[in-house]
Amino acid sequence: MAPRIDPSLPFPPLADLHHKHILLGVTGGIAAYKTAEIVRGLRRAGAEVRVAMTPAAGRFVQPLTFEALSGHPVAHDMFAPGTESAMGHIHLARWADAILVAPASADFMARVSLGLADDLLATLCLAAEAPLFMAPAMNRAMWRHPATCAHAAALAGRGVALLGPDEGDQACGETGPGRMREPAQLVLDLAHALAGGGLLSGLRVLISAGPTREPIDPVRFISNRSSGKMGYALAAAARDAGADVALVSGPVTLEPPAAVEAVRVETAAEMFDAVMARAGWADIYVGTAAVADYAPAEAETAKIKKHADRLDLALNRTRDILHSVAALPDKPFVVGFAAETDEVEAHARTKLEAKGADMVAANAVGSGAPGGFDRDENALFVCWRGGECRLPLAPKTEIAHRLVRLIAERYYAENTDQDP
Ligand code: PMT
């Protein structure tokens, strides 16, 4: 069966952990406050969650927080009266389909690496046969210390999956590797590792993003206000859904999402070549880029001087990338975008047919629109032959996840022999 998608589902929607028992271990670190978000994310993804804390973790977050969020008592004291009769540590270790320790401090990693069982969580890790995941979080120098490196290598060598750490600003004011991976990402990482994939697992997704620049002379160009935010969010969401993603991007200031093949281009002609070179590889193409419809017939080689009162520029139509991909004999599933200042839904339907796309996601653009070009939020009217759906105003990251769910549903509906 194709995955049934309800785009009104709460964010994050791509992880599926239904029927999974996740034991979440919390160790002492400032990132422990973020673990509350992980509990919520795991539960939203359908998992049943139990939490075990080290004594040091209790100095940062009260067990009551995790008890309220998980709906179960928190295991933190190996010798607490009633603990063994309620759910002993061996029983808890057997109950878990996976253990995620987040944050995993340097001290905790060292203890598990050495096989110490000197608190309840370390004992659980030693007693468990389920896969063990750790999300390290510590100061960058601690992470790079040879002792931590040796323990991390030993753990990885024994099959412990280290999720992160990420690079960035740290609570101590320093910058570097050691930040705990974001809660939503950890939930997705776990879901992918346990389920063997997400909604787009095994599929290849090609996305165009950003504006193009069409040179007039060496210092001037024709372009538009696209920031790349929508396309980059889609690339990250498709990757989170388990796809291999290639992102062909016009000039923007954004960093490409991790684990995505990024190809930088300038002009519509370069974007055409880069997309067409990869279209045969892709199962799905999403044209988010605001490609120039016209480009100067000739770019001057020297800067144009302002002698005349009036300057006429001759422009030629660019080649339509979306239409060309959709016309390929072995075309991927083609999703176009439509940027409209009026009659959004009618224009979207017209573009669906005119461009030969399988789906069009249309957004209202212009000064009065809350979404569209260079905004952090967007709202989409999405249509395909035989259906339509409205994704109300939300951050582009969230809209991207919802659109990816819709694309997955339509892709599988049209490739029914390829249900995941
Ligand atoms: O980048 P952001 O600041 O986040 O803004 C996002 C966005 C507003 C740019 C995005 O949501 C969007 O609407 N992208 C499409 C913009 C656009 O050019 O729309 P259009 O209606 O002119 O084009 C329709 C479709 O044809 C698009 O998929 C476009 O990529 C494609 N096209 C257009 C011209 C061309 N020569 N080749 C194309 O493939």
Side-chain angles (χ1 to χ4, degrees), residues 20 54-55 59 100 116 153 200 208 246 254 294 310 315 335 360 364:
K20 296 285 182 210
T54 63
R59 309 285 288 266
L100 168 63
L116 302 181
L200 295 178
S208 72
L254 303 174
Y294 291 90
R310 176 188 158 116
L315 304 177
V335 183
V360 165

PDB file of all heavy atoms in Angstrom, residues 20 54-55 59 100 116 153 200 208 246 254 294 310 315 335 360 364:
ATOM      1  N   LYS A  20       7.534   0.954  18.207  1.00  0.00           N
ATOM      2  CA  LYS A  20       8.919   0.816  18.682  1.00  0.00           C
ATOM      3  C   LYS A  20       9.013   1.224  20.152  1.00  0.00           C
ATOM      4  O   LYS A  20       8.398   2.197  20.578  1.00  0.00           O
ATOM      5  CB  LYS A  20       9.868   1.705  17.861  1.00  0.00           C
ATOM      6  CG  LYS A  20       9.970   1.319  16.401  1.00  0.00           C
ATOM      7  CD  LYS A  20      10.802   0.067  16.208  1.00  0.00           C
ATOM      8  CE  LYS A  20      10.933  -0.266  14.725  1.00  0.00           C
ATOM      9  NZ  LYS A  20      11.061  -1.689  14.471  1.00  0.00           N
ATOM     10  N   THR A  54      21.160   9.469  34.382  1.00  0.00           N
ATOM     11  CA  THR A  54      22.274   9.331  35.327  1.00  0.00           C
ATOM     12  C   THR A  54      22.034  10.324  36.466  1.00  0.00           C
ATOM     13  O   THR A  54      21.276  11.305  36.301  1.00  0.00           O
ATOM     14  CB  THR A  54      23.619   9.653  34.659  1.00  0.00           C
ATOM     15  OG1 THR A  54      23.599  11.027  34.247  1.00  0.00           O
ATOM     16  CG2 THR A  54      23.872   8.759  33.453  1.00  0.00           C
ATOM     17  N   PRO A  55      22.707  10.122  37.603  1.00  0.00           N
ATOM     18  CA  PRO A  55      22.561  11.106  38.693  1.00  0.00           C
ATOM     19  C   PRO A  55      22.923  12.517  38.232  1.00  0.00           C
ATOM     20  O   PRO A  55      22.258  13.485  38.587  1.00  0.00           O
ATOM     21  CB  PRO A  55      23.526  10.584  39.762  1.00  0.00           C
ATOM     22  CG  PRO A  55      23.637   9.107  39.493  1.00  0.00           C
ATOM     23  CD  PRO A  55      23.511   8.957  38.005  1.00  0.00           C
ATOM     24  N   ARG A  59      20.847  16.782  37.793  1.00  0.00           N
ATOM     25  CA  ARG A  59      21.269  18.129  38.218  1.00  0.00           C
ATOM     26  C   ARG A  59      20.864  19.173  37.175  1.00  0.00           C
ATOM     27  O   ARG A  59      20.833  20.366  37.461  1.00  0.00           O
ATOM     28  CB  ARG A  59      22.790  18.192  38.414  1.00  0.00           C
ATOM     29  CG  ARG A  59      23.365  17.096  39.292  1.00  0.00           C
ATOM     30  CD  ARG A  59      23.045  17.360  40.746  1.00  0.00           C
ATOM     31  NE  ARG A  59      23.826  18.462  41.282  1.00  0.00           N
ATOM     32  CZ  ARG A  59      24.981  18.317  41.925  1.00  0.00           C
ATOM     33  NH1 ARG A  59      25.473  17.099  42.107  1.00  0.00           N
ATOM     34  NH2 ARG A  59      25.622  19.357  42.394  1.00  0.00           N
ATOM     35  N   LEU A 100      18.741   5.171  22.973  1.00  0.00           N
ATOM     36  CA  LEU A 100      19.380   6.408  22.507  1.00  0.00           C
ATOM     37  C   LEU A 100      19.839   7.185  23.728  1.00  0.00           C
ATOM     38  O   LEU A 100      19.014   7.530  24.590  1.00  0.00           O
ATOM     39  CB  LEU A 100      18.374   7.253  21.700  1.00  0.00           C
ATOM     40  CG  LEU A 100      18.807   8.694  21.389  1.00  0.00           C
ATOM     41  CD1 LEU A 100      20.059   8.715  20.502  1.00  0.00           C
ATOM     42  CD2 LEU A 100      17.676   9.465  20.700  1.00  0.00           C
ATOM     43  N   LEU A 116      32.028  -0.210  32.332  1.00  0.00           N
ATOM     44  CA  LEU A 116      31.659   0.007  33.735  1.00  0.00           C
ATOM     45  C   LEU A 116      30.138  -0.005  33.876  1.00  0.00           C
ATOM     46  O   LEU A 116      29.424   0.452  32.972  1.00  0.00           O
ATOM     47  CB  LEU A 116      32.205   1.343  34.240  1.00  0.00           C
ATOM     48  CG  LEU A 116      33.726   1.499  34.147  1.00  0.00           C
ATOM     49  CD1 LEU A 116      34.159   2.862  34.716  1.00  0.00           C
ATOM     50  CD2 LEU A 116      34.441   0.381  34.908  1.00  0.00           C
ATOM     51  N   ALA A 153      36.008   5.827  19.300  1.00  0.00           N
ATOM     52  CA  ALA A 153      36.403   4.817  18.308  1.00  0.00           C
ATOM     53  C   ALA A 153      36.086   3.412  18.822  1.00  0.00           C
ATOM     54  O   ALA A 153      35.608   2.557  18.067  1.00  0.00           O
ATOM     55  CB  ALA A 153      37.890   4.956  17.989  1.00  0.00           C
ATOM     56  N   LEU A 200      10.889   8.358   1.361  1.00  0.00           N
ATOM     57  CA  LEU A 200      11.510   8.392   0.028  1.00  0.00           C
ATOM     58  C   LEU A 200      12.756   7.522  -0.011  1.00  0.00           C
ATOM     59  O   LEU A 200      13.642   7.716  -0.854  1.00  0.00           O
ATOM     60  CB  LEU A 200      11.853   9.836  -0.352  1.00  0.00           C
ATOM     61  CG  LEU A 200      10.674  10.791  -0.527  1.00  0.00           C
ATOM     62  CD1 LEU A 200      11.168  12.205  -0.854  1.00  0.00           C
ATOM     63  CD2 LEU A 200       9.735  10.319  -1.630  1.00  0.00           C
ATOM     64  N   SER A 208      15.923  21.916  -7.943  1.00  0.00           N
ATOM     65  CA  SER A 208      16.558  23.181  -8.317  1.00  0.00           C
ATOM     66  C   SER A 208      16.087  24.246  -7.342  1.00  0.00           C
ATOM     67  O   SER A 208      14.968  24.183  -6.832  1.00  0.00           O
ATOM     68  CB  SER A 208      16.200  23.566  -9.752  1.00  0.00           C
ATOM     69  OG  SER A 208      14.842  23.971  -9.816  1.00  0.00           O
ATOM     70  N   ALA A 246      20.171  15.544  -4.915  1.00  0.00           N
ATOM     71  CA  ALA A 246      21.080  16.460  -5.608  1.00  0.00           C
ATOM     72  C   ALA A 246      20.377  17.810  -5.714  1.00  0.00           C
ATOM     73  O   ALA A 246      19.194  17.868  -6.059  1.00  0.00           O
ATOM     74  CB  ALA A 246      21.438  15.924  -6.986  1.00  0.00           C
ATOM     75  N   LEU A 254      22.974  30.697   1.250  1.00  0.00           N
ATOM     76  CA  LEU A 254      22.746  29.572   2.167  1.00  0.00           C
ATOM     77  C   LEU A 254      23.812  28.496   1.983  1.00  0.00           C
ATOM     78  O   LEU A 254      24.316  28.304   0.882  1.00  0.00           O
ATOM     79  CB  LEU A 254      21.383  28.937   1.887  1.00  0.00           C
ATOM     80  CG  LEU A 254      20.170  29.847   1.972  1.00  0.00           C
ATOM     81  CD1 LEU A 254      18.926  29.096   1.521  1.00  0.00           C
ATOM     82  CD2 LEU A 254      19.998  30.349   3.395  1.00  0.00           C
ATOM     83  N   TYR A 294      13.685  35.237 -19.330  1.00  0.00           N
ATOM     84  CA  TYR A 294      14.374  35.917 -20.435  1.00  0.00           C
ATOM     85  C   TYR A 294      15.800  36.256 -20.001  1.00  0.00           C
ATOM     86  O   TYR A 294      16.026  36.585 -18.826  1.00  0.00           O
ATOM     87  CB  TYR A 294      13.650  37.225 -20.804  1.00  0.00           C
ATOM     88  CG  TYR A 294      12.296  36.988 -21.435  1.00  0.00           C
ATOM     89  CD1 TYR A 294      11.153  36.904 -20.644  1.00  0.00           C
ATOM     90  CD2 TYR A 294      12.178  36.833 -22.816  1.00  0.00           C
ATOM     91  CE1 TYR A 294       9.913  36.667 -21.218  1.00  0.00           C
ATOM     92  CE2 TYR A 294      10.939  36.597 -23.393  1.00  0.00           C
ATOM     93  CZ  TYR A 294       9.811  36.508 -22.593  1.00  0.00           C
ATOM     94  OH  TYR A 294       8.587  36.271 -23.168  1.00  0.00           O
ATOM     95  N   ARG A 310      18.478  56.622 -23.193  1.00  0.00           N
ATOM     96  CA  ARG A 310      17.638  55.423 -23.150  1.00  0.00           C
ATOM     97  C   ARG A 310      18.461  54.232 -23.639  1.00  0.00           C
ATOM     98  O   ARG A 310      19.288  54.375 -24.539  1.00  0.00           O
ATOM     99  CB  ARG A 310      16.443  55.665 -24.072  1.00  0.00           C
ATOM    100  CG  ARG A 310      15.534  54.503 -24.212  1.00  0.00           C
ATOM    101  CD  ARG A 310      14.516  54.811 -25.302  1.00  0.00           C
ATOM    102  NE  ARG A 310      13.991  53.553 -25.779  1.00  0.00           N
ATOM    103  CZ  ARG A 310      12.733  53.172 -25.655  1.00  0.00           C
ATOM    104  NH1 ARG A 310      11.846  53.999 -25.138  1.00  0.00           N
ATOM    105  NH2 ARG A 310      12.349  51.996 -26.083  1.00  0.00           N
ATOM    106  N   LEU A 315      16.150  40.826 -25.241  1.00  0.00           N
ATOM    107  CA  LEU A 315      16.117  39.628 -24.400  1.00  0.00           C
ATOM    108  C   LEU A 315      15.620  38.439 -25.203  1.00  0.00           C
ATOM    109  O   LEU A 315      14.724  38.580 -26.033  1.00  0.00           O
ATOM    110  CB  LEU A 315      15.200  39.841 -23.191  1.00  0.00           C
ATOM    111  CG  LEU A 315      15.499  41.030 -22.279  1.00  0.00           C
ATOM    112  CD1 LEU A 315      14.439  41.134 -21.179  1.00  0.00           C
ATOM    113  CD2 LEU A 315      16.873  40.899 -21.642  1.00  0.00           C
ATOM    114  N   VAL A 335       7.712  17.776 -10.357  1.00  0.00           N
ATOM    115  CA  VAL A 335       6.973  18.733  -9.526  1.00  0.00           C
ATOM    116  C   VAL A 335       7.441  20.138  -9.876  1.00  0.00           C
ATOM    117  O   VAL A 335       8.620  20.466  -9.718  1.00  0.00           O
ATOM    118  CB  VAL A 335       7.230  18.487  -8.015  1.00  0.00           C
ATOM    119  CG1 VAL A 335       6.405  19.448  -7.165  1.00  0.00           C
ATOM    120  CG2 VAL A 335       6.938  17.034  -7.649  1.00  0.00           C
ATOM    121  N   VAL A 360       1.978  20.521  -9.271  1.00  0.00           N
ATOM    122  CA  VAL A 360       2.452  21.907  -9.185  1.00  0.00           C
ATOM    123  C   VAL A 360       2.148  22.441  -7.791  1.00  0.00           C
ATOM    124  O   VAL A 360       1.046  22.249  -7.266  1.00  0.00           O
ATOM    125  CB  VAL A 360       1.802  22.807 -10.264  1.00  0.00           C
ATOM    126  CG1 VAL A 360       2.002  24.286  -9.943  1.00  0.00           C
ATOM    127  CG2 VAL A 360       2.400  22.509 -11.634  1.00  0.00           C
ATOM    128  N   ALA A 364       1.536  32.321  -3.512  1.00  0.00           N
ATOM    129  CA  ALA A 364       1.264  33.727  -3.805  1.00  0.00           C
ATOM    130  C   ALA A 364       2.537  34.515  -3.516  1.00  0.00           C
ATOM    131  O   ALA A 364       3.188  34.288  -2.498  1.00  0.00           O
ATOM    132  CB  ALA A 364       0.130  34.226  -2.921  1.00  0.00           C
TER     133      ALA A 364
END
